[in-house]
């Protein structure tokens, strides 16, 4: 179906081309004069018409005595020919428009089939040319200096620089160099920028294309562009191949979009085709990791994933500083305040904010960008089309207590768990959150441990209720409830840990009990909870060491 659609596109194109050619041919050079029917007869009578060609088309075609072409409406009356002949005008009859289109159609069909055949053999010459159109293959000028991202993200990118610069070094040790790296995260967080900066930093050529480029044109072009891209990188002796917005070609396969599938297959084939020491790294970026075809994320493909999340306070400040470099900020102006007011802004939105402020300063003709410019820009940006979501102070407070609740209960009731991070900035995996890891080698859990896990899951909601009252609780805890319910159900059902033997009743009892325990524990450690939440409000993100220091 979709395959046909592409060919239909080509077909329609040629049909239109045929018509255009026909129309031009019709005019035979100069455009013919249009005569009204009475005018025509008048001229015929005065001998100004040399010959007339009649058909069943819309017009009669006349050649005037001075050699000029003229048209007149076909009256579709029977006696015209006779009258003209009587006036000594040459008359020919022709089923016009019947013959030439047939010839053209034949030609077009021929081309159509040739293209179709060559497609199955690989890309035709025409497609090759198309594929060669463009790929930005210079070494980009930007480096990691121009990007402000989380420390761990930057570290992962630095590793890639080493791989690019010394591919032989790693392969000599038998180390497997990453072939494919997937950057994922919300729009405007600097994924494209990072990919470019990686090439710039490693002084490697950059071969970039966007997934959207691949899907618009004819079947086979996407695949051929991919092959072309890899060919160029090999010729250059390595570099960064970047496929932006890979979701456009890498979506989970629905019932066969042929073009996308071919492009995807070409990509996978190329990726398995180059060796570790080739000095090629393939980078891709997506806003939606969850929609990608599993084949893309498998071992040996895009098996290294780097999250590029929304910036937290510290990162926002860095981004603002990067973009303020070439702007005349008033000396007293504090970007920290701006960073503080821009929770949930992406890097792109921060850049827009500063730019808007600069525009306002320029309009004023002021010497510096002043605080008022920033304030005005802030208003403009937050009512605009792609406006950042504003997190109100109350929302921030609720989120902070929610996450602090999780972290505190986890720390107190599951001491062997490692809390790696707590944040009030939502990640691409879902809500704001805390990430913890429990040693995976544990197979059996005691009833007490299972209860503790339910408590930790419910602790976010418990803290919200405790601090803000039951009316203020938010909808942000759906995932928490799901997890708690699953554990409770397993306890009641599989592990026989319920009291009544009625599965549902037991599950409910367990949940109620866990909620009570969580609240009690939080109440008991209210001071710690306040401290944690307070720190989260100030810093937005707490790392493992910070948490350890706070909850000794
Ligand atoms: P993405 O590809 O993630 O959608 P982009 O890389 O296209 O985001 O970012 C758009 C612009 O926003 C960049 O060109 C840059 O000016 C700014 N920007 C976004 N993130 C950052 C960042 N982390 N550091 C510096 N600038 C950023
Ligand atoms: Mg991008
Ligand atoms: Zn939660």
């Amino acid at each position: 179906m979709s395959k046909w659609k592409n060919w239909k596109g080509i077909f329609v194109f040629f049909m239109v081309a045929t018509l255009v050619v026909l129309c031009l041919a019709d005019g035979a050079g100069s455009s013919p004069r249009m005569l009204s029917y009475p005018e025509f007869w008048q001229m015929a009578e005065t001998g100004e018409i040399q010959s007339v060609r009649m058909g069943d088309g819309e017009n009669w075609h006349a050649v005037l005595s001075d050699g000029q072409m003229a048209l007149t409406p076909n009256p579709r009356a029977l006696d015209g020919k006779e009258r003209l002949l009587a006036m000594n005008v040459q008359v020919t009859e022709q089923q016009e428009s019947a013959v030439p289109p047939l010839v053209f159609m034949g030609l077009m069909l021929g081309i159509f089939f040739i293209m179709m055949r060559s497609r199955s053999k690989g890309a035709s010459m025409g497609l090759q040319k198309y594929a060669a159109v463009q790929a930005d293959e210079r070494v980009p000028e930007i480096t990691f200096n121009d990007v402000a991202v989380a420390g761990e993200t930057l570290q992962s990118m630095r590793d890639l620089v080493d791989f690019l610069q010394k591919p032989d070094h790693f392969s000599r040790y038998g180390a497997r160099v990453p072939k494919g790296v997937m950057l994922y995260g919300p729009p405007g967080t600097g994924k494209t920028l990072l990919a470019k900066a990686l090439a710039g930093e490693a002084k490697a050529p950059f071969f970039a294309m966007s997934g959207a480029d691949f899907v618009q044109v004819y079947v086979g072009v996407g695949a051929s562009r991919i092959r072309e891209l890899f060919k160029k990188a090999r010729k250059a002796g390595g570099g960064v191949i970047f496929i932006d917005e890979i979701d456009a070609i890498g979506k989970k396969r629905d019932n066969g979009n042929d073009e996308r599938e071919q492009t995807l297959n070409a990509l996978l084939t190329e990726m398995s085709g180059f060796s570790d020491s080739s000095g090629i790294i393939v980078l891709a970026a997506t806003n939606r990791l969850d929609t990608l075809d599993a084949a893309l994320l498998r071992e040996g493909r895009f098996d290294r994933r780097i999250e590029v999340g929304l910036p937290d306070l510290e990162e926002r400040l860095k981004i603002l500083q990067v973009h303020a470099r070439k702007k005349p900020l008033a000396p007293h102006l504090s970007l920290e305040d701006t960073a503080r007011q821009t929770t949930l802004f992406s890097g792109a939105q921060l850049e827009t904010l500063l730019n808007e402020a600069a525009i306002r300063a320029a309009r004023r003709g002021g010497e510096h960008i002043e605080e008022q410019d920033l304030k005005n820009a802030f208003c403009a940006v937050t009512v605009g089309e792609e406006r950042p979501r504003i997190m109100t102070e109350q929302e921030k407070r609720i989120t902070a207590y929610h996450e602090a609740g999780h972290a505190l209960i986890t720390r107190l009731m599951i001491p062997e768990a490692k809390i790696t991070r707590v944040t009030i900035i939502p990640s691409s995996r879902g809500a704001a959150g805390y990430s913890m890891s429990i040693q995976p080698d544990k197979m059996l859990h005691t009833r007490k441990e299972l209860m503790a896990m339910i408590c930790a899951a419910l602790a976010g909601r418990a803290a919200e209720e405790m601090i803000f009252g039951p009316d203020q609780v938010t909808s942000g805890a759906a995932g928490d409830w799901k997890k708690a319910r699953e554990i409770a159900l397993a306890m009641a059902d599989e592990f026989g840990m319920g009291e009544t033997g009625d599965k549902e009743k037991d599950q409910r009892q367990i949940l109620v009990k866990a909620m009570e325990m969580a609240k009690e524990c939080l109440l008991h450690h209210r001071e710690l909870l306040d401290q944690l939440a307070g720190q989260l409000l100030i810093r937005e993100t707490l790392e493992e060491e910070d948490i350890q220091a706070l909850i000794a």
Side-chain angles (χ1 to χ4, degrees):
M1 168 60 197
S2 52
K3 178 171 161 187
W4 174 234
K5 218 165 90 189
N6 280 297
W7 287 108
K8 220 161 78 188
I10 300 179
F11 202 68
V12 167
F13 169 76
F14 281 124
M15 288 295 286
V16 170
T18 307
L19 281 176
V20 169
V21 169
L22 270 177
C23 288
L24 288 178
D26 214 23
S30 60
S31 56
R33 233 172 103 186
M34 193 72 207
L35 302 174
S36 74
Y37 196 58
E39 236 181 321
F40 172 80
W41 281 111
Q42 213 169 13
M43 289 176 79
E45 267 159 32
T46 52
E48 286 173 75
I49 291 184
Q50 199 184 328
S51 69
V52 176
R53 177 162 56 94
M54 299 175 169
D56 53 7
E58 209 179 313
N59 295 310
W60 284 351
H61 297 243
V63 178
L64 307 183
S65 48
D66 59 1
Q68 238 194 319
M69 306 287 286
L71 297 176
T72 196
N74 182 354
R76 300 187 202 280
L78 291 172
D79 60 342
K81 184 173 176 183
E82 196 199 29
R83 266 180 80 189
L84 283 168
L85 286 170
M87 287 173 191
N88 206 16
V89 175
Q90 272 183 49
V91 178
T92 53
E93 272 185 87
Q94 197 175 56
Q95 296 313 305
E96 77 167 345
S97 76
V99 174
L102 262 184
V103 173
F104 274 105
M105 288 279 289
L107 257 171
M108 292 312 142
L109 272 174
I111 294 173
F112 179 75
F113 281 113
I114 288 167
M115 280 186 76
M116 220 154 142
R117 284 193 51 200
S118 60
R119 174 182 146 249
S120 56
K121 277 192 242 132
S124 75
M125 281 306 288
L127 297 189
Q128 287 282 7
K129 246 193 206 151
Y130 213 117
V133 171
Q134 26 73 7
D136 185 5
E137 46 204 275
R138 284 155 302 150
V139 176
E141 273 164 25
I142 59 168
T143 64
F144 290 154
N145 259 333
D146 305 293
V147 198
V149 286
E152 62 213 278
T153 307
L154 193 60
Q155 191 49 53
S156 311
M157 297 303 289
R158 286 234 160 82
D159 291 345
L160 297 181
V161 174
D162 285 344
F163 289 134
L164 273 168
Q165 290 183 330
K166 298 173 268 182
D168 297 332
H169 180 78
F170 287 90
S171 58
R172 203 169 62 225
Y173 288 91
R176 210 164 50 79
V177 173
K179 275 187 176 173
V181 180
M182 182 72 69
L183 302 173
Y184 68 97
T189 46
K191 298 179 292 296
T192 306
L193 192 66
L194 256 181
K196 229 183 217 172
L198 167 67
E201 189 80 23
K203 303 211 170 17
F206 188 60
F207 305 90
M209 282 200 160
S210 175
D213 295 344
F214 293 126
V215 285
Q216 293 153 359
V217 267
Y218 315 136
V219 179
V221 170
S224 134
R225 281 186 177 181
I226 290 269
R227 284 190 286 267
E228 190 72 12
L229 207 57
F230 278 78
K231 208 163 101 192
K232 276 188 183 162
R234 274 192 299 266
K235 228 188 242 168
V240 175
I241 293 179
F242 179 53
I243 301 179
D244 210 352
E245 292 163 36
I246 194 170
D247 17 340
I249 54 168
K251 260 189 232 143
K252 290 194 179 96
R253 296 176 205 211
D254 44 21
N255 32 26
N257 178 329
D258 215 46
E259 164 64 354
R260 215 165 60 201
E261 200 145 311
Q262 276 193 31
T263 311
L264 181 58
N265 285 339
L267 176 63
L268 296 178
T269 311
E270 288 293 340
M271 283 184 76
S272 51
F274 66 83
S275 69
D276 282 1
S277 56
S278 63
I280 296 176
I281 285 185
V282 187
L283 240 66
T286 179
N287 303 334
R288 301 283 319 269
L289 194 61
D290 55 318
T291 62
L292 291 185
D293 195 317
L296 265 174
L297 303 174
R298 231 172 268 145
E299 196 73 15
R301 284 143 184 198
F302 292 97
D303 50 3
R304 185 170 287 217
R305 263 151 269 170
I306 299 179
E307 178 172 8
V308 190
L310 284 176
D312 65 13
L313 180 65
E314 209 183 307
E315 289 146 22
R316 288 200 302 275
L317 180 58
K318 278 192 207 140
I319 295 174
L320 287 168
Q321 283 165 345
V322 164
H323 290 286
R325 266 185 224 149
K326 285 180 193 156
K327 295 190 174 73
L329 288 196
H332 60 272
L333 202 107
S334 155
L335 285 177
E336 258 160 71
D337 290 344
T338 310
R340 215 169 279 287
Q341 287 152 9
T342 45
T343 313
L344 297 190
F345 275 52
S346 70
Q349 286 161 340
L350 291 170
E351 196 271 337
T352 308
L353 177 68
L354 276 188
N355 190 47
E356 287 291 321
I359 288 172
R360 277 162 180 73
R363 256 189 228 147
R364 266 191 314 113
E367 191 180 346
H368 295 294
I369 299 175
E370 299 288 347
E371 197 167 336
Q372 194 57 43
D373 298 320
L374 264 171
K375 275 195 184 138
N376 294 342
F378 187 87
C379 291
V381 168
T382 51
V383 298
E385 190 104 325
E386 267 179 66
R387 60 160 177 259
R389 198 167 91 65
I390 300 288
M391 210 178 187
T392 63
E393 280 310 306
Q394 177 73 351
E395 267 182 295
K396 261 195 220 177
R397 271 170 55 80
I398 293 177
T399 312
Y401 269 98
H402 181 105
E403 300 307 331
H406 280 309
L408 187 57
I409 295 283
T410 305
R411 189 94 182 110
L412 294 172
M413 294 173 81
I414 319 175
E416 75 271 22
K418 225 169 80 170
I419 303 172
T420 46
R421 183 158 219 254
V422 189
T423 177
I424 62 170
I425 306 287
S427 80
S428 19
R429 284 186 220 96
Y434 75 122
S435 43
M436 63 159 198
S437 52
I438 303 180
Q439 279 82 340
D441 56 357
K442 194 152 180 179
M443 294 292 288
L444 294 170
H445 291 281
T446 63
R447 183 194 165 89
K448 189 170 162 228
E449 284 166 340
L450 288 167
M451 276 309 270
M453 281 158 77
I454 302 178
C455 286
L458 293 180
R461 170 60 68 86
E464 281 184 48
E465 262 187 49
M466 205 176 100
I467 306 292
F468 303 97
D471 295 340
Q472 293 292 311
V473 295
T474 61
S475 56
D480 296 345
W481 276 104
K482 187 163 170 269
K483 194 158 141 207
R485 256 189 240 115
E486 276 168 12
I487 305 174
L489 184 64
M491 284 175 75
D493 193 16
E494 292 164 44
F495 309 151
M497 290 177 183
E499 275 162 15
T500 67
D502 178 334
K503 210 164 68 182
E504 273 169 40
K505 216 167 165 187
D506 284 341
Q507 185 193 16
R508 211 170 323 124
Q509 268 184 8
I510 291 169
L511 287 174
V512 170
K513 181 87 192 355
M515 193 65 165
E516 269 170 27
M517 281 167 68
K519 276 191 193 161
E520 204 172 301
C521 186
L522 289 177
L523 213 55
H524 207 78
H525 297 276
R526 171 71 196 255
E527 238 172 82
L528 272 177
L529 182 68
D530 287 337
Q531 272 176 25
L532 256 178
Q535 283 298 309
L536 272 175
L537 273 173
I538 296 171
R539 293 163 59 188
E540 294 184 359
T541 304
L542 298 176
E543 305 291 343
E544 193 174 350
E545 317 82 68
D546 308 322
I547 303 157
Q548 238 152 16
L550 272 166
I551 322 172

